[in-house]
Amino acid sequence: MESSPFDAWITNDDELVSLLSQEWQRQTSTLQLIASENFASPAVMAATGSVLTNKYAEGYPGRRYYGGNQIVDEVEDLARRRLTALFGADHANVQPHSGANANVAVYQALLETGDTILAMRLDQGGHLTHGSPASMTSKAWHFVSYGVTPRNDDPEHPGEQIDFDNVRDLALTHRPKLIVAGATAYARRIDPSPFREIADEVGALLMFDSAHVAGLIAGGSHPNPVPYADVVTFTTHKTLRGPRGGAILARTELAKKIDSAVFPGQQGGPLENAIAAKAVAFREAALASFAVYTEQIVANAKAFATALAGHGFRLVSGGTENHMVLLDLRDFDGDLTGKEAQEVLDRAGITTNRNTIPDDPRSPFITSGLRVGTAAQTTAGMREGEFTQVADLMARALRGRAVDAEVQAVRADVAELCRSFNPYANFVK
Ligand code: DSN
């Protein structure tokens, strides 16, 4: 079996090398449509696997609890400098191990336990850390949740958009200390300015969780929340195309509190290898070619959405303005659940995730929705024409799901398409 060029140094471990080869094969011969995934550059992966993995560096540059950190300090400073320049922010913390850690650190930094936070409900598009009952955040803080406007099939006035009247009413009634903007399953552009106005009206702080769209912001395809929000959190591995991890941007006056909440508040030793890889990604995201990439992500999502709607899928919110399309499967086939669609598409070599849709009558484990995204396959070089083909392949597999030969025929066509779009083609020996 063909192996990944990144496994060359893993010797004497046939079991692991075999698993890595299988995953390499999966990633390059099937379609990666999970909206929160991407293909990181070889430079990002090399930095993740660099000697920095060996170093303990609790603390911050110039204020470490361990010796030997002169070079590590420069690495972390480089990442912080690149990140503040990329988004025009005062202060950056690049240590969060994930977006969830970043969000919890912000709550810890800015609030007392039990304080009120106004955030988007999970089943309306929010994140677990926006106060889902399943998350520890809902036990430590008092969450009030806003949602989206009702479904409206008039294409001129699509519903399922953030309901700013609802956000304002709830803010006036509950007087939150913090308002959270941002979502994980929302296909529309999020304008930070109405959130700022509402936060100012009730004297709340504003956090913008830009995990999904950080790359689109860096590339200039989406509005930058930094001038509006007191704190911006994000992950580095989605549209931003870096290593797995999180980061926080903050105004100067909040910097000390944020840093203390990340370390020692939440985490121990930072992953300096991941921080070096973040520095690589922040440099890549500042290049002119990255702006072209993010424009293409959005153009591809629009073409994908149009083609999927042509096959009878209902687009939640009536379309897309980012990298994501959220599908309501019920118009396509009333019996098809998100869970079954995800499983059928897995068999067909198309990787997606089931997702709740607003007011979903099915449980979060079953769902009536499917979430797809264009960031990864755009990195692999796909354009609007290929995404139209991908929509055709999805519809074929789902319509023919009772016949295994049909699903396998789609899988063969997927593999054929992927052969021309290997994201690491230039690095295969
Ligand atoms: N798991 C991420 C996503 O897929 O959107 C959110 O944390």
Side-chain angles (χ1 to χ4, degrees):
M1 188 182 285
E2 187 186 63
S3 73
S4 151
F6 307 107
D7 307 341
W9 286 25
I10 306 173
T11 53
N12 303 326
D13 190 345
D14 294 345
E15 283 174 298
L16 183 64
V17 168
S18 162
L19 291 171
L20 293 178
S21 297
Q22 290 172 51
E23 178 59 11
W24 163 262
Q25 198 68 27
R26 189 194 70 78
Q27 289 189 16
T28 56
S29 66
T30 61
L31 288 163
Q32 308 315 314
L33 299 182
I34 290 183
S36 45
E37 293 182 355
N38 212 325
F39 294 112
S41 71
V44 164
M45 289 204 269
T48 308
S50 68
V51 290
L52 292 165
T53 203
N54 300 330
K55 194 68 198 91
Y56 242 117
E58 286 185 4
Y60 288 98
R63 291 179 291 120
R64 304 284 190 187
Y65 290 80
Y66 292 80
N69 277 307
Q70 294 78 2
I71 295 160
V72 159
D73 278 4
E74 289 191 42
V75 170
E76 191 166 334
D77 264 337
L78 183 65
R80 297 198 296 191
R81 269 202 316 278
R82 287 181 177 174
L83 181 54
T84 50
L86 187 62
F87 290 95
D90 294 346
H91 177 74
N93 188 306
V94 292
Q95 294 193 359
H97 301 328
S98 69
N101 284 26
N103 287 353
V104 176
V106 171
Y107 302 158
Q108 187 181 333
L110 305 184
L111 308 172
E112 300 298 327
T113 308
D115 278 349
T116 299
I117 306 176
L118 178 58
M120 197 173 195
R121 218 170 70 200
L122 182 67
D123 68 338
Q124 302 277 299
H127 187 248
L128 283 163
T129 57
H130 297 177
S132 156
S135 157
M136 65 74 69
T137 56
S138 67
K139 305 190 172 46
W141 294 281
H142 172 239
F143 278 84
V144 176
S145 304
Y146 62 85
V148 295
T149 55
R151 171 179 172 172
N152 181 354
D153 293 333
D154 173 0
E156 295 302 313
H157 306 281
E160 296 162 312
Q161 320 261 328
I162 290 173
D163 185 345
F164 281 106
D165 291 337
N166 180 229
V167 177
R168 184 165 179 271
D169 286 348
L170 290 169
L172 287 168
T173 305
H174 296 278
R175 298 273 157 182
K177 262 205 178 161
L178 178 72
I179 298 180
V180 177
T184 64
Y186 185 69
R188 294 291 174 172
R189 179 184 298 254
I190 300 180
D191 182 355
S193 72
F195 278 108
R196 180 73 265 170
E197 282 168 23
I198 295 167
D200 285 345
E201 197 177 344
V202 299
L205 290 164
L206 176 62
M207 172 180 124
F208 196 106
D209 178 347
S210 60
H212 267 269
V213 293
L216 303 183
I217 295 165
S221 301
H222 265 224
N224 185 357
V226 166
Y228 299 90
D230 299 286
V231 181
V232 175
T233 59
F234 58 93
T235 45
T236 46
H237 49 273
K238 298 185 174 89
T239 52
L240 197 52
R241 208 165 60 180
R244 304 198 73 77
I248 303 173
L249 299 169
R251 295 193 195 288
T252 307
E253 56 272 27
L254 300 176
K256 210 167 169 312
K257 281 185 177 171
I258 294 287
D259 285 355
S260 304
V262 174
F263 172 84
Q266 288 285 321
Q267 299 184 170
L271 312 179
E272 293 294 341
N273 54 325
I275 288 172
K278 289 173 189 176
V280 173
F282 301 151
R283 181 178 167 276
E284 291 177 353
L287 300 174
S289 55
F290 195 82
V292 175
Y293 163 63
T294 65
E295 258 177 52
Q296 191 65 53
I297 291 177
V298 176
N300 284 348
K302 279 198 196 321
F304 197 19
T306 302
L308 288 163
H311 283 290
F313 295 97
R314 190 181 78 81
L315 307 175
V316 174
S317 83
T320 178
E321 294 167 328
N322 57 22
H323 59 302
M324 181 190 298
V325 184
L326 188 58
L327 298 174
D328 177 350
L329 300 168
R330 292 171 300 177
D331 287 15
F332 177 82
D333 181 336
D335 293 332
L336 182 62
T337 65
K339 180 173 184 293
E340 188 185 9
Q342 178 194 308
E343 287 166 1
V344 170
L345 292 171
D346 251 345
R347 280 164 49 216
I350 302 173
T351 310
T352 63
N353 69 272
R354 61 179 175 271
N355 218 102
T356 47
I357 54 174
D359 306 314
D360 201 325
R362 296 183 173 120
S363 77
F365 192 70
I366 304 294
T367 83
S368 303
L370 194 73
R371 191 185 66 162
V372 287
T374 55
Q377 293 303 151
T378 302
T379 297
M382 290 191 179
R383 300 287 175 262
E384 290 91 330
E386 285 80 33
F387 275 97
T388 302
Q389 279 184 58
V390 174
D392 297 348
L393 291 163
M394 282 175 61
R396 247 179 76 199
L398 293 173
R399 289 245 181 265
R401 65 188 186 276
V403 182
D404 193 51
E406 177 60 3
V407 176
Q408 291 313 316
V410 172
R411 190 179 181 96
D413 288 350
V414 164
E416 181 59 32
L417 180 61
C418 290
R419 254 189 283 286
S420 309
F421 294 95
N422 183 330
Y424 301 112
N426 296 336
F427 299 89
V428 177
K429 282 176 274 177

